[in-house]
Amino acid sequence: MNWLQQWAGYMPQMLSGLGVSLFIAGVSIVIGYPLGLLLSVMVQHKNLVIRTLGLAIVEVGRGAPALVILYLVYYGLPKFGIAFESIQAACIALVWNAAAYSSEIIRAGLQSVARGQTEAAQVLGLSSRDTFFRVVMPQGMRSAIPGLMGVAIQMFQGTSLAYAIAVPELMKSAYNIGSQDFNYLQIFTLAGICYAAISMPATWITVYFEKRMSRHA
């Protein structure tokens, strides 16, 4: 039996695991990016307490390995009576990770908006709130798109860490199949191809957007 025939037999279980990986990545992005925007605003806030809190959340999220955060959520929080199922813990850990990384990208995008834009908005009589939501944020988020797409790819690849707490994602599916007949080379090669099938097109799209953004900068 050649590899292609073996892979054909593995695919149903692998696709099931891939679906879980995409779900976790999707949750981390959909929830993490708005939280990243909130954190970027907190980090730039004039209030010292709010700014310090935002910085602490971002620095821990960026500084600690995602696997450590995953273990803290899954194994650490039950010590305080807070327990999550494995897939919930994976989502929470990667949401935190996505929020921390995206906050820095978004903050850089917001800071890239020319000061003249805000001054013009103030001259027109816009409030600080309207200036942020109607002038600064649309332009800043546009600049942040390529970086945020890169974080999305990172989050998808990071779902493989959920294997450590028995989430039935792609790597867990691959390991389960490999442990049945010990064809680890074939199955992990197939797992790599599955990751690449998602990550490579996403990377090409990111590069395309980066070129478009630099062209219109």
Side-chain angles (χ1 to χ4, degrees), residues 3 6-7 10 14 174-175 177-179 181-193:
W3 280 29
Q6 290 177 325
W7 285 352
Y10 298 152
M14 293 294 286
Y175 181 81
I177 295 171
S179 63
D181 50 20
F182 302 101
N183 287 328
Y184 289 110
L185 177 61
Q186 292 94 323
I187 191 61
F188 286 131
T189 299
L190 178 58
I193 291 172

Side-chain angles (χ1 to χ4, degrees), residues 51-86:
R51 186 167 68 249
T52 302
L53 178 61
L55 279 170
I57 296 172
V58 170
E59 291 306 315
V60 172
R62 294 175 67 239
L67 184 60
V68 172
I69 297 176
L70 185 63
Y71 280 163
L72 286 174
V73 173
Y74 189 64
Y75 295 113
L77 291 182
K79 297 292 184 179
F80 301 96
I82 305 172
F84 296 100
E85 295 182 2
S86 58

